[in-house]
């Protein structure tokens, strides 16, 4: 159980005096019990804490912590939550799969009752990857790793975690064209160093440790020459370079190399779905070639000891670690940027229509689902205007439950301003077919169903279509829709249909131009991350876990401070204590009733609280320092 929680406020201001002295605690509680300390020390040994470089000298701090090493220091691999990596080249094809272009055998016994294909994903060979920290200790760019696909974050769950039931049933070659999951990480800042100027004839040269360089940024850029997300099947990890470490003679480290993720126009960048499959937020919509967005800014470089020189401390033996670069998994989704989308039931003649009105040559055949991937065509008009038209795979009744190709490609129509609804006039009940497809569109997205559309009644060259036409037109007219009739094969009536679609598209464009507001800020994600990175240190929350009797102090400013503290340098522990005091953590803990021996977590650091005795002397402070400072 966690209770109570308080936020810091200006009331907890810096108080240089001993907190223990301010606290009306009984004497028996505040005396140091050496035996108890020894036990705590034993606990430190178990945690394999590295020995301090030297003891902190002096100081008369009344309230002290015994610090345990940050969790990053442990080189124990993540056992509960390893990253599982799957090599695409090693994936065994499902038993009855004949090839990417061919259909799977629906009668296969391995097909389950929901109609999914019988892929046995458990049979894929899994590679246990190290933790990220293992990786980062090596080079920032590792070509080999770029060849590895990582799905989800492993654990005991299926490696395809995060994909919906429907996606599992779609052959990978189709799935990966317009959807990809990638990992991006901004570069860590370089570490600052402790150095002193040593030169002949320059006695007491002073501190000269330079600052670390800033980590590289992650950018996302629209590349007009790309038309699919296929390259992301090969490259999944994008890591910007780490900033260089500082050097002596006040030399600062070099800035880390930036990384640019190139995406095709029409890419939507989303935060990857979390563990519970909760869809992440849309971060960016990149439409125009050349657009560039700063996604993740690199971590700040740590300061060297030259930056810590003050009038009070002219020989600071302290330097900071570089700030860790932010990282995240992203989902990329490509939505075609077409003005008009052709939708309809399978075999209605959508592809034939596209081939007639444009130079595109999509596959046309007399069986359903000839079109497996969207086709694009550019339609030119006499008056020098062009329009991009997308022919989409056919929609069946029940597509939202996964029948046919389902809604797999309907997202491409979200960008279209107008739809052409193609109806097979020669089918038994064109009206029913029309209603079923409209319903599927509504089920997919109400906004899509609200888009203006043109109804084209096709195959008028066939007598069945001529028979159906009158009743179909009457039915639609009763709903205030004026359908067009045409024959795609004979190119009759097609011009009227596409001109009507063009008129509608123009109207929509004009309306949206009026409603358009100024330029879009593409760097808002980076701004958000930066805001988080610079959040003040005195904004924190304290919660108490009564089961384990542990106090948790959380706050992004404090966490960043802990991460950037380099425990190797002897002044770091003193500064750490001082900052906790100054930002009000100690005061708040005392107010909430922290007791001798309680565990306090500050970010990743585990500490033990000690009430200082009234007669606290240097010896006790030294012992604390020797035991715990890393
Ligand atoms: N008689 C006649 N046949 C047509 C007409 N338009 C298309 N067809 C035929 O209908 C069949 C299907 O045409 P497609 O263009 O492949 O139909 P589709 O809607 O793209 O089908 P899917 O891609 O499977 O969804 C082909 O055999 C075409 O020749 C037409 O106006 N008249
Ligand atoms: Mg087709």
């Amino acid at each position: 159980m966690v209770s109570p929680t308080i936020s810091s406020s200006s009331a907890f201001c810096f108080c240089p005096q001993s907190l223990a002295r301010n606290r009306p605690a009984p004497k028996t509680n505040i005396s140091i019990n050496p035996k108890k300390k020894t036990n705590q020390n034993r606990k430190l040994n178990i945690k394999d804490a590295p020995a301090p470089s030297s003891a902190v000298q002096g100081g008369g701090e009344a309230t002290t912590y015994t610090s345990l090493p940050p969790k990053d220091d442990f080189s124990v691999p993540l056992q509960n939550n390893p990253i599982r990596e799957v090599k695409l080249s090693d994936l065994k094809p499902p038993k009855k799969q004949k090839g990417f272009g061919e259909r799977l055998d629906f009668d296969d016994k391995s097909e389950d009752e929901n109609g999914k294909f019988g892929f046995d994903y458990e049979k894929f060979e899994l590679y246990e990857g190290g933790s990220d920290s293992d990786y980062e200790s090596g080079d920032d760019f590792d070509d080999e790793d770029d060849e590895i696909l990582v799905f989800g974050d492993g654990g005991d769950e299926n490696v395809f975690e995060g994909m919906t039931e429907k996606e599992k049933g779609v052959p990978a070659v189709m799935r990966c064209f317009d959807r990809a999951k990638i990992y991006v990480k901004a570069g860590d800042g370089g570490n600052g160093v402790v150095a002193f100027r040593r030169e002949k004839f320059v006695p007491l040269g002073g501190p000269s440790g330079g600052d670390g360089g800033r980590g590289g940024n992650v950018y996302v850029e629209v590349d007009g020459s790309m038309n699919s997300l296929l390259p992301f099947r090969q490259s999944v990890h994008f890591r910007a370079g780490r900033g260089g470490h500082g050097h002596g003679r006040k030399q600062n480290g070099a800035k880390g190399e930036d990384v640019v993720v190139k995406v095709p126009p029409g890419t939507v960048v989303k935060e990857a779905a979390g563990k519970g499959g909760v869809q992440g937020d849309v971060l960016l919509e990149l439409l125009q070639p050349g657009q560039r967005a700063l996604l993740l800014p690199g971590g700040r470089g740590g300061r060297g000891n030259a930056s810590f020189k003050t009038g009070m401390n002219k020989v600071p033996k302290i330097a900071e670690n570089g700030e860790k670069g932010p990282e995240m998994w992203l989902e990329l989704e490509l939505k075609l940027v077409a003005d008009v989308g052709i939708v309809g039931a399978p075999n209605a003649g959508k592809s034939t229509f596209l081939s007639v009105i444009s130079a595109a040559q999509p596959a046309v055949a007399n069986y359903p689902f000839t079109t497996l991937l969207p086709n694009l065509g550019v339609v030119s008009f006499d008056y020098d205007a062009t329009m991009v038209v997308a022919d989409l795979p056919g929609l069946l009744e029940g597509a939202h439950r996964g029948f046919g190709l389902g809604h797999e490609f309907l997202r491409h129509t979200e960008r279209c301003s107008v739809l052409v609804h193609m109806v097979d006039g020669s089918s038994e009940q064109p009206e029913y077919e029309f209603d079923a497809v409209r319903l599927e569109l509504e089920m997919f997205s109400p906004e899509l169903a609200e888009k203006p559309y043109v109804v084209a009644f096709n195959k008028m060259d066939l007598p069945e279509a001529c028979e159906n036409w009158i009743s179909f037109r009457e039915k639609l007219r009763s709903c205030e829709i004026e359908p067009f009739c045409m024959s795609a094969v004979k190119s009759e009536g097609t011009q009227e249909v596409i001109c009507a679609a063009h008129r509608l598209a123009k109207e929509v464009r004009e309306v949206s131009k009026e409603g358009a507001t100024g330029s879009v800020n593409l760097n808002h994600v980076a701004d958000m991350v930066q805001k988080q990175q610079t959040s003040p240190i005195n904004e924190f929350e304290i919660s108490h876990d009564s089961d384990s009797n542990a106090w948790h102090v959380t706050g992004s400013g404090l966490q960043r401070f802990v991460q950037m503290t380099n425990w190797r340098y002897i002044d770091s522990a003193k500064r750490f204590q001082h900052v906790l005091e100054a930002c009000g953590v100690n005061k708040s803990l005392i107010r909430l009733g922290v007791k001798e021996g309680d565990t306090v977590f500050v970010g990743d650091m585990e500490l033990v609280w000690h009430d200082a005795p009234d007669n606290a002397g240097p010896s006790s402070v030294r012992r604390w320092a020797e035991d715990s400072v890393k």
Side-chain angles (χ1 to χ4, degrees):
M1 229 181 72
V2 175
S3 71
T5 301
I6 68 151
S7 294
S8 72
S9 70
S10 54
F12 301 117
C13 56
F14 171 61
C15 172
Q17 287 172 346
S18 144
L19 289 172
R21 265 177 239 146
N22 296 338
R23 189 178 168 214
K27 289 229 169 195
T28 47
N29 282 353
I30 56 173
S31 61
I32 291 179
N33 178 356
K35 203 171 177 187
K36 197 168 182 185
K37 274 218 152 183
T38 317
N39 289 342
Q40 283 156 358
N41 297 344
R42 200 169 293 141
K43 190 177 166 193
L44 281 173
N45 292 338
I46 291 166
K47 294 225 172 189
D48 198 19
S53 52
S54 75
V56 173
Q57 298 296 325
E61 300 277 311
T63 304
T64 58
Y65 292 96
T66 301
S67 62
L68 300 182
K71 282 179 181 160
D72 286 356
D73 280 2
F74 304 117
S75 55
V76 184
L78 296 173
Q79 280 161 355
N80 296 336
N81 197 15
I83 293 175
R84 288 178 172 192
E85 301 190 342
V86 179
K87 274 192 178 170
L88 191 72
S89 54
D90 293 336
L91 296 186
K92 290 174 189 127
K95 275 179 194 166
K96 293 231 170 180
Q97 193 181 14
K98 291 170 185 169
F100 278 139
E102 294 172 54
R103 309 298 314 281
L104 295 177
D105 186 356
F106 280 79
D107 297 331
D108 190 332
K109 278 179 195 162
S110 58
E111 185 189 350
D112 68 15
E113 53 199 14
N114 297 326
K116 289 183 295 174
F117 298 140
F119 283 46
D120 189 355
Y121 293 105
E122 296 303 322
K123 285 188 181 167
F124 294 157
E125 208 169 322
L126 297 177
Y127 291 79
E128 295 290 333
S131 66
D132 269 344
S133 55
D134 291 344
Y135 190 91
E136 265 124 39
S137 61
D139 288 337
D140 288 311
F141 294 99
D142 189 335
D143 290 336
E144 258 178 43
D145 268 25
D146 280 352
E147 300 297 320
I148 295 173
L149 279 178
V150 178
F151 296 99
D153 51 2
D156 291 326
E157 291 160 44
N158 193 309
V159 288
F160 287 84
E161 183 205 3
M163 293 184 179
T164 61
E165 289 294 297
K166 178 64 204 163
E167 284 170 309
K168 287 179 191 172
V170 177
V173 71
M174 286 158 55
R175 192 175 54 228
C176 292
F177 266 115
D178 54 4
R179 271 187 180 185
K181 194 171 175 185
I182 61 166
Y183 168 85
V184 285
K185 183 181 184 315
D188 298 339
N191 297 343
V193 291
V194 171
F196 292 94
R197 192 171 170 200
R198 295 275 177 270
E199 223 172 282
K200 206 173 178 186
F201 310 120
V202 186
L204 306 174
S208 65
D211 300 343
R214 202 180 174 84
N217 301 327
V218 177
Y219 293 93
V220 184
E221 190 180 278
V222 183
D223 183 348
S225 65
M226 284 173 74
N227 58 9
S228 82
L229 298 175
L230 201 60
F232 297 107
R233 290 183 71 194
Q234 299 299 321
S235 311
V236 175
H237 297 96
F238 295 88
R239 288 179 166 91
R242 172 177 198 136
H245 300 317
H247 295 281
R249 300 185 185 192
K250 294 189 183 168
Q251 292 178 84
N252 296 342
K255 188 185 176 298
E257 209 177 323
D258 295 336
V259 69
V260 181
V261 183
K262 297 214 168 174
V263 295
T267 303
V268 178
V269 182
K270 285 185 194 168
E271 217 176 316
K275 272 243 154 184
V278 186
Q279 199 62 45
D281 295 337
V282 173
L283 303 176
L284 294 168
E285 283 207 42
L286 299 162
L287 304 178
Q288 306 302 329
Q291 275 182 321
R292 188 187 244 228
L294 171 61
L295 193 70
L296 298 178
R300 181 166 74 77
R303 284 173 293 172
N305 71 333
S307 308
F308 284 96
K309 186 181 168 188
T310 60
M312 297 282 287
N313 187 0
K314 292 194 174 165
V315 278
K317 294 187 183 94
I318 186 169
E320 286 176 327
N321 288 329
E323 186 184 15
K324 282 231 174 308
E327 59 188 325
M328 66 198 305
W329 279 92
L330 298 174
E331 262 170 32
L332 305 181
E333 205 173 276
L334 179 60
K335 294 181 179 175
L336 295 179
V337 192
D339 304 292
V340 175
I342 311 173
V343 294
N347 231 16
K350 300 180 292 297
S351 305
T352 313
F353 178 60
L354 183 73
S355 67
V356 169
I357 57 170
S358 73
Q361 293 187 325
V364 172
N366 195 12
Y367 55 81
F369 301 113
T370 314
T371 306
L372 294 174
L373 294 169
N375 298 305
L376 282 184
V378 180
V379 184
S380 309
F381 294 91
D382 298 343
Y383 37 89
D384 203 27
T386 57
M387 192 167 75
V388 180
V389 181
D391 157 40
L392 297 162
L395 272 179
L396 276 184
E397 185 188 357
H400 67 279
R401 286 190 308 236
F403 287 122
L405 289 177
H407 286 149
E408 190 60 26
F409 301 103
L410 263 187
R411 79 183 84 97
H412 293 300
T413 52
E414 284 178 2
R415 289 270 168 71
C416 300
S417 41
V418 173
L419 300 178
V420 170
H421 187 149
M422 190 68 59
V423 180
D424 182 353
S426 66
S427 67
E428 281 182 15
Q429 289 178 303
E431 299 92 349
Y432 178 76
E433 184 192 294
F434 172 78
D435 287 341
V437 171
R438 289 295 311 161
L439 189 69
E440 287 306 321
L441 290 176
E442 268 169 45
M443 300 284 253
F444 176 72
S445 132
E447 290 102 63
L448 189 62
E450 276 170 22
K451 280 189 194 286
Y453 63 95
V454 177
V455 181
F457 187 86
N458 192 24
K459 305 196 185 177
M460 276 298 274
D461 54 299
L462 297 175
E464 298 92 323
C466 293
E467 276 171 30
N468 293 333
W469 166 239
I470 304 292
S471 62
F472 182 81
R473 188 178 59 184
E474 290 315 309
K475 194 206 160 219
L476 262 72
R477 276 183 177 171
S478 66
C479 307
E480 296 180 8
I481 302 167
E482 187 59 47
F484 289 82
C485 63
M486 59 172 243
S487 166
V489 159
K490 293 198 168 180
S491 283
E492 284 173 10
T494 49
Q495 278 304 313
E496 284 80 355
V497 173
I498 201 62
C499 286
H502 182 243
R503 269 197 306 276
L504 273 181
K506 239 167 82 174
E507 280 171 25
V508 173
R509 217 175 298 147
E510 270 159 27
V511 171
S512 59
K513 252 187 211 166
E514 283 167 21
T517 46
S519 63
V520 200
N521 174 21
L522 290 175
N523 297 344
H524 63 96
V525 185
D527 294 344
M528 213 167 61
V529 173
Q530 232 148 17
K531 204 173 158 195
Q532 212 178 6
Q533 281 176 336
T534 51
S535 56
I537 201 163
N538 61 354
E539 280 178 12
F540 58 85
E541 287 198 344
I542 298 178
S543 56
H544 183 231
D545 185 354
S546 48
D547 295 342
S548 57
N549 204 20
W551 299 84
H552 294 268
V553 185
T554 48
S556 45
L558 260 180
Q559 260 150 325
R560 188 184 63 246
F561 169 66
V562 170
Q563 184 260 305
M564 291 185 76
T565 301
N566 192 338
W567 302 97
R568 240 174 272 138
Y569 299 119
I570 57 173
D571 286 353
S572 295
K574 255 203 279 183
R575 180 168 174 251
F576 184 72
Q577 290 282 350
H578 178 75
V579 168
L580 290 190
E581 188 100 40
C583 70
V585 173
N586 291 356
K587 246 185 179 181
S588 307
L589 282 168
I590 290 171
R591 278 167 63 107
L592 288 168
V594 67
K595 287 194 292 296
E596 168 76 29
D598 282 359
T599 309
V600 180
F601 289 94
V602 182
D604 284 346
M605 284 292 290
E606 189 179 338
L607 308 127
V608 178
W609 178 272
H610 292 303
D611 288 333
D614 285 344
N615 58 351
S619 61
S620 65
V621 173
R622 194 178 299 125
R623 187 185 307 159
W624 156 77
E626 280 168 359
D627 291 344
S628 57
V629 179
K630 308 302 155 218

